[in-house]
Amino acid sequence: MSETPDAPPASRRQPLARHGIQSSPRPFRQILTILGAVVAVVVLSVGAVGAFYVWDAARALSDNSVDIGDDVDQLPAIGEIDGGVNMLVVGTDSCEGQDLKLFPRCAHDAGGERNDVTMLVHISDSPRRVTVVSFPRDMIVPIPSCPTGDGGSYSAMSAQMINSSYMYGGLPCSVLTVEALTGIDIQYAAAIRWTGVINMSDAIGGVDVCVADDIKDKHTGLDLKAGTHTLVGAEALQFLRIRHGIGDGSDLGRISNQQQFMSSMVRKLQSDGVLANPSVLFNLATTAVAQVQSQQLVLSDSLTNPQRMVSIAMAVKSVPYKDIVFVQYPTVYAPGGGRVLPVTDAASVLFQALEDNQPIKITGSASSGYGVEVIGEAEAEASPTPTPTGSATGTPDASGTPDAGETPEPTETAVDLPSTISGSTAADVTCTQAER
């Protein structure tokens, strides 16, 4: 149950997304609104978000992209992308281009860059749902043979921490490692460094977080009193990096802390305060492009075209909070502690549900590392009643029961995830707990 995972069966590999042709958007304001949804999709990890400013950004993006070895179909017309999307998003610990005042350890850094945050973002085919799977940095996994970039390849390794994959072979190697572990075909990928996180959190105007107790961590420098805080810049990065001051002091507690941040970010991005504010969206877009140009944000070749990004964004811009789910890949501690091993039988339930496009239900706790507790439920903003489609002509009676001329909406039964899989949804309001 806790052994190094076997190779997943080929039948579980997700097909490439199919890009359909839909109607074009109307005014420029609609383009800006769509870009706001891009923010929630592109660089969801470590609080970083991406937005792309129309077509002039294409060259800046493609000139700094990397090949992850996956082809995608021809570009669609602007409209909702057809099919599902799988995107790997990583946050790295590189000292390159960092402010030494904020990161003094970088003055003595020995080099190397690890994917200390690794997340798989899965956007389902219709009906649209978003699932974000976080992989603990200390999880021991096989690393497959990875390309060197000059036509050669690195040798495979049987058991390494997952966060060494980026140091070993960059973003393409992290993609191959997660594909081998999950059986998911990943078409898109992005990586962001510390300064990129700081600049993007500034551009979004901060994210609200809840802290149940006073927390203070000498390792990151974060010092917060109990209550609600709007975090921007370096403080937002500290909150995302903190481990010793929360929960059980492990990376598992840090993951749930990051999930709290992301849930709050999603709720803000879907609010009128962001989507209806062209100046905020423009600032996000230009800031994201600047991060690419300064190499604080790295994108796969498949992710560099703004037209494709708009299509992905249109697929998720109206997903309800309850259908945006953040989970942690299930693990158990290795002998001696300090490292964790994947629990593949529990994980297979999750990935089979994603392949079958079924809704999932979390039955476990909000945090494997006791990092957060659920304190309430977020209220989604009111949306206009959808216009009925199809041939149904009947109207429901006063009780809400459809009459004989109306076809009821089908109901889906959610797959109960094993209790070893922890997580929460964007509808869950969580609060960080101090280390105990």
Side-chain angles (χ1 to χ4, degrees):
M1 181 172 179
S2 61
E3 297 176 350
T4 302
D6 299 325
S11 61
R12 280 185 49 220
R13 293 185 65 81
Q14 294 278 24
L16 287 174
R18 304 179 306 279
H19 305 292
I21 298 178
Q22 303 291 336
S23 58
S24 297
R26 293 181 290 275
F28 183 68
R29 175 186 173 90
Q30 183 172 350
I31 292 292
L32 291 176
T33 299
I34 293 168
L35 288 175
V38 176
V39 168
V41 178
V42 184
V43 191
L44 202 55
S45 77
V46 279
V49 291
F52 299 89
Y53 178 55
V54 209
W55 317 122
D56 289 340
R59 178 175 298 178
L61 299 177
S62 61
D63 285 351
N64 293 282
S65 64
V66 297
D67 181 5
I68 62 172
D70 218 334
D71 295 326
V72 293
D73 298 338
Q74 66 181 12
L75 291 175
I78 295 178
E80 185 174 320
I81 199 168
D82 184 19
V85 171
N86 295 310
M87 183 187 311
L88 188 74
V89 184
V90 305
T92 71
D93 65 354
S94 172
C95 278
E96 185 175 344
Q98 309 305 326
D99 186 344
L100 294 182
K101 292 181 180 178
L102 292 175
F103 308 104
R105 80 166 181 83
C106 286
H108 311 286
D109 183 64
E113 184 171 11
R114 293 162 291 272
N115 50 305
D116 277 352
V117 175
T118 304
M119 297 182 179
L120 175 65
V121 181
H122 171 77
I123 305 168
S124 71
D125 200 351
S126 181
R128 299 293 187 181
R129 289 179 283 265
V130 178
T131 305
V132 182
V133 184
S134 293
F135 301 86
R137 66 182 294 278
D138 300 328
M139 183 167 63
I140 304 298
V141 299
I143 295 182
S145 175
C146 294
T148 61
D150 57 4
S153 61
Y154 298 108
S155 299
M157 295 182 287
S158 61
Q160 296 290 328
M161 286 171 55
I162 197 171
N163 78 329
S164 65
S165 62
Y166 199 95
M167 182 172 61
Y168 190 53
L171 189 56
C173 195
S174 294
V175 168
L176 290 171
T177 300
V178 174
E179 284 185 332
L181 176 65
T182 65
I184 297 292
D185 181 33
I186 298 171
Q187 308 100 29
Y188 307 98
I192 193 163
R193 292 170 171 167
W194 290 332
T195 295
V197 175
I198 291 172
N199 291 335
M200 292 309 301
S201 62
D202 282 342
I204 198 176
V207 173
D208 294 338
V209 299
C210 170
V211 178
D213 317 284
D214 295 351
I215 57 176
K216 187 172 185 178
D217 176 33
K218 64 180 182 180
H219 298 275
T220 62
L222 185 65
D223 186 356
L224 293 177
K225 299 296 183 183
T228 302
H229 303 266
T230 301
L231 302 183
V232 296
E235 196 172 42
L237 179 63
Q238 290 171 331
F239 184 81
L240 292 160
R241 293 181 61 211
I242 191 172
R243 170 168 67 95
H244 297 284
I246 62 173
D248 63 0
S250 73
D251 183 55
L252 306 185
R254 173 164 52 190
I255 284 175
S256 57
N257 204 48
Q258 293 166 352
Q259 290 174 342
Q260 183 207 160
F261 188 96
M262 289 186 295
S263 291
S264 180
M265 183 182 69
V266 165
R267 294 192 292 267
K268 180 169 185 176
L269 290 170
Q270 286 195 2
S271 72
D272 288 342
V274 173
L275 297 185
N277 191 327
S279 64
V280 173
L281 294 175
F282 180 80
N283 188 33
L284 282 168
T286 54
T287 301
V289 172
Q291 303 318 299
V292 173
Q293 292 173 320
S294 64
Q295 298 186 355
Q296 292 298 308
L297 174 60
V298 176
L299 305 176
S300 63
D301 291 342
S302 54
L303 202 55
T304 57
N305 189 282
Q307 187 175 344
R308 182 173 290 119
M309 285 310 309
V310 169
S311 297
I312 294 174
M314 290 188 73
V316 301
K317 64 186 178 68
S318 300
V319 176
Y321 293 163
K322 65 180 179 62
D323 290 329
I324 302 175
V325 184
F326 302 93
V327 296
Q328 178 192 298
Y329 190 100
T331 60
V332 294
Y333 278 101
R339 302 289 182 265
V340 294
L341 300 174
V343 182
T344 55
D345 55 350
S348 66
V349 177
L350 166 64
F351 293 114
Q352 187 63 57
L354 298 185
E355 182 177 350
D356 295 340
N357 197 12
Q358 293 179 283
I360 56 178
K361 179 181 178 182
I362 297 172
T363 66
S365 64
S367 173
S368 296
Y370 311 104
V372 300
E373 60 180 347
V374 178
I375 61 170
E377 183 174 346
E379 293 185 6
E381 296 204 354
S383 56
T385 303
T387 302
T389 58
S391 59
T393 57
T395 57
D397 59 24
S399 66
T401 303
D403 65 16
E406 187 173 358
T407 303
E409 288 291 327
T411 57
E412 296 180 288
T413 301
V415 174
D416 287 344
L417 298 180
S419 60
T420 51
I421 298 180
S422 62
S424 58
T425 74
D428 294 323
V429 177
T430 59
C431 204
T432 298
Q433 300 184 97
E435 188 171 2
R436 290 171 169 77

